[in-house]
Amino acid sequence: MKFSKIFAAATREYNDFEKFVPAPYMRKNFDCIGKAVSKAEITVCSSGFYRVFINGKEFTKGALAPYITNPDSILFYDNYDLTEDISEGKNVVSFILGNGMMNAPGGSVWEFEKAPWRGAPAVAFSLEITYSDGTTSEINADSDIKVHPSPIHMDDLRMGEFYDARAEIDGWNLPGFCDDDWDNAILVTPPRGEMRLTQAEPIKTYRVVEPVSIRKGKLNIDFTARDRTAPKVIVPEDELPSEGWIYDFGINSAGIPKLRIKGEAGQKVVLQMCEHMEKDGSLCLYNISFQPYGLYQRMVYILKGGEEEIHLPSFTYYGFRYCFVSGITEEQATPSLLEYHLMSSNVSRISDFSCSDETANKLFEMTLNSDLSNFYYFLTDCPHREKNGWTGDAALSSEQVLMHFTADNSFCDWIRLVGKAMRDDGALPGIVPTGTWGFSWGNGPAWDAALTYLPYYMIKYRNDTSCAKAASAYIMRYLNYLWSKRKPNGLLEFGLGDWCPSGHINGFMPSPLVFTDSVISMDIADKAACIFDKLGMAPQKAFALELASSIRASIRKHLIDFGTMSAAGNCQTSQAMAIFYDVFEPGEKPAAFARLKEYIAQKDDHMAVGILGARVIFRVLGDFGEADLAYKMITRPDFPSYGNWIKRGATSLWEDFRREFTNEEKGETSKNHHFFGDISAWFISYICGIRVNPNMDTTDNVDIMPCFIESIDNAHGEHVLPRGKLSVSWERQGEKIVMTVVKPGNVYGYIRLPVGYKFDDTTAFRSLASGTYTIVKYDCHLPYEDLSE
């Protein structure tokens, strides 16, 4: 396997908003005359995206290959075995190249149009052949490659794809095709990134969804709410319709539409993907669009005519529930016109949860849907508006994602990109990959925590230190950076805080930034110390512990009122974080928890937290015997709550907890974010009680600590450990609860019942073993001698 850095492109021109450059067809002919092939492999990289074919057969691993990257940071290569597909005689290796991140003007809000690497997509490859006589040959990109514009008139990761089927060329990727009138490729300066074989799981279709309804409808094209710095462009009038057909697929997710149509040559079909329907039944884009209408979340297809035509986009994807279709006749507006191919990184599911309450079941499935919708090699914030690898979102969801999916390889590849994005002084950008954007806004400790949290939870849930090894030097540099950012009082205050606070539309965050930044910085240092300990890096561990201890002392000195046992801000987020992250001493926590309950009662048992508070408040409630209150706050149907999302028709997790808006107010934001998704892990870890690796020793150690929610009659949870699947089920049977535990061999731990419950032998604690247990409830306030009654 060889990583070639000889890059060939079709042109030096590239897309912008006013001029489209087609994706190129590229073909390289080669002969194997008179020789039998015993082994053949090709190792491919594109500075953008690619599709690869050998003698007409496609080998591409999945969508958006090889990766979504900053090509000046890391160049990702893919390897394919071609032994069975190289012929004795004439052969051809062919490519279609997409822009990818090499040229991403659709991301102009984040200054990707100013990226220092910006240019036309190029391809590098090494085709290595070993013949039966022991001789070898190697074929690389060169200027003999033949190139021609493809039918993909425009492609952009965020804007979409325009395809003119009339420009298709039959047999273009087959041996013997006459390419004499095609142009020659040009060799270009290679990107500067480190060459690596992609380990991240490929992006695949995991489900195909049919439309649940089709009707005539309207698309609201008013973009005044989110025009920002979007450039002004001219879009043909026939691509700006306000009336058409609304296809509702019943689920807000991410992927691509599959178009199946028969019509006249030149017929132009425009698909506009949307996720929000106004109260009047019209669709809109204002909640997810940073670009002009006509150049965002859309697909344009021009028919070649004749037989039925089938098309799926190649180099983009969309986040949507609804597809607004224009340019078709009423006869063409049939259910078979469109399918929704849900796509994500091909990670395997390793968890499950269900219970007697359908609200909780729906919330669990909504979380998994948002996780997958936002997993395209790495965790993104949303699959439509941004498609960015926001570090804060990944930090918040890293634990729940690892509980649900085999995200190990993908996390490792992305964490290397995060490290490469770090400045020399240790600062991290808010999004990765990035060019230069995200250092002056959009970062800070709660976002930068991704660098440490992902490796930490890989150790916790997988016993895997590979991610930690890749990140360790960057983590140490970042700890030095944190030290340099401390104020004279030892605290930290920079970047973003308790983002998206529930119930607030003006951005007001009750928890002070100095508090959330300082606490998260302390936690980063604590987790870094654990990582360094696992890696045998004693000096680094000592430094991390010193930093954590020093910051904690400053927090306790300046931000805790010990008279009232309250944290700065006098709010749910501050109080829950101070308890969860051990700012309070164990002896102080009961009083601090009582204060937290007061803050919750002041809101009539509603949540009043942003993303940082939501990550911990329900865990704190569960730890202090108030799991029923946590469950009520999560599932209640009135605003603000997760249950209220369901009441309002959600099929995915939303970006924030906002009240309903009128059409004119235009207050809606993204309806597919994962960063509020820790409730899904809470369901498994608290309701079913599966606590993996509680002491950070080994994933072979699991404690079972269930919370028997009074409003639930039964619950089932499972998680696949490195040793195998562990499951816990419990069910109310009259006055008793019957709980069944199934564990893999060599997994050990304890079963710990909550206060007020005991096994039928009167104990509440025993060693973990597979079996069925009968549990009874008792009044824990009775005198000791009456406990057996």
Side-chain angles (χ1 to χ4, degrees), residues 67-114:
Y67 197 84
I68 300 171
T69 185
N70 170 342
D72 279 350
S73 290
I74 298 179
L75 289 169
F76 287 93
Y77 288 72
D78 296 322
N79 180 265
Y80 302 93
D81 184 352
L82 307 180
T83 304
E84 302 299 321
D85 296 277
I86 302 295
S87 304
E88 289 190 45
K90 294 184 178 297
N91 295 269
V92 62
V93 55
S94 307
F95 301 92
I96 310 175
L97 300 187
N99 283 296
M101 291 297 289
M102 188 66 182
N103 178 38
S108 60
V109 171
W110 307 279
E111 300 179 352
F112 284 117
E113 87 286 2
K114 300 177 183 177

Side-chain angles (χ1 to χ4, degrees), residues 763-782:
T763 64
F765 177 91
R766 59 178 56 186
S767 294
L768 176 62
S770 295
T772 298
Y773 303 89
T774 300
I775 299 166
V776 296
K777 189 175 183 180
Y778 70 93
D779 187 348
C780 59
H781 300 291
L782 290 175

Side-chain angles (χ1 to χ4, degrees), residues 502-524:
S502 57
H504 296 279
I505 63 172
N506 59 0
F508 172 70
M509 288 172 268
S511 186
L513 180 63
V514 67
F515 181 83
T516 56
D517 269 2
S518 298
V519 171
I520 294 297
S521 295
M522 177 192 72
D523 187 57
I524 290 171

Side-chain angles (χ1 to χ4, degrees), residues 31 201 242 292 381 705 717 746-747:
D31 292 334
E201 290 80 4
S242 61
D381 59 324
M705 303 172 63
N746 298 316
V747 170

Side-chain angles (χ1 to χ4, degrees), residues 219-244:
L219 178 66
N220 182 347
I221 61 173
D222 180 6
F223 275 74
T224 57
R226 279 191 180 271
D227 59 5
R228 290 206 176 183
T229 58
K232 306 303 179 184
V233 298
I234 299 175
V235 179
E237 286 298 321
D238 62 351
E239 294 179 17
L240 293 172
S242 61
E243 296 186 357

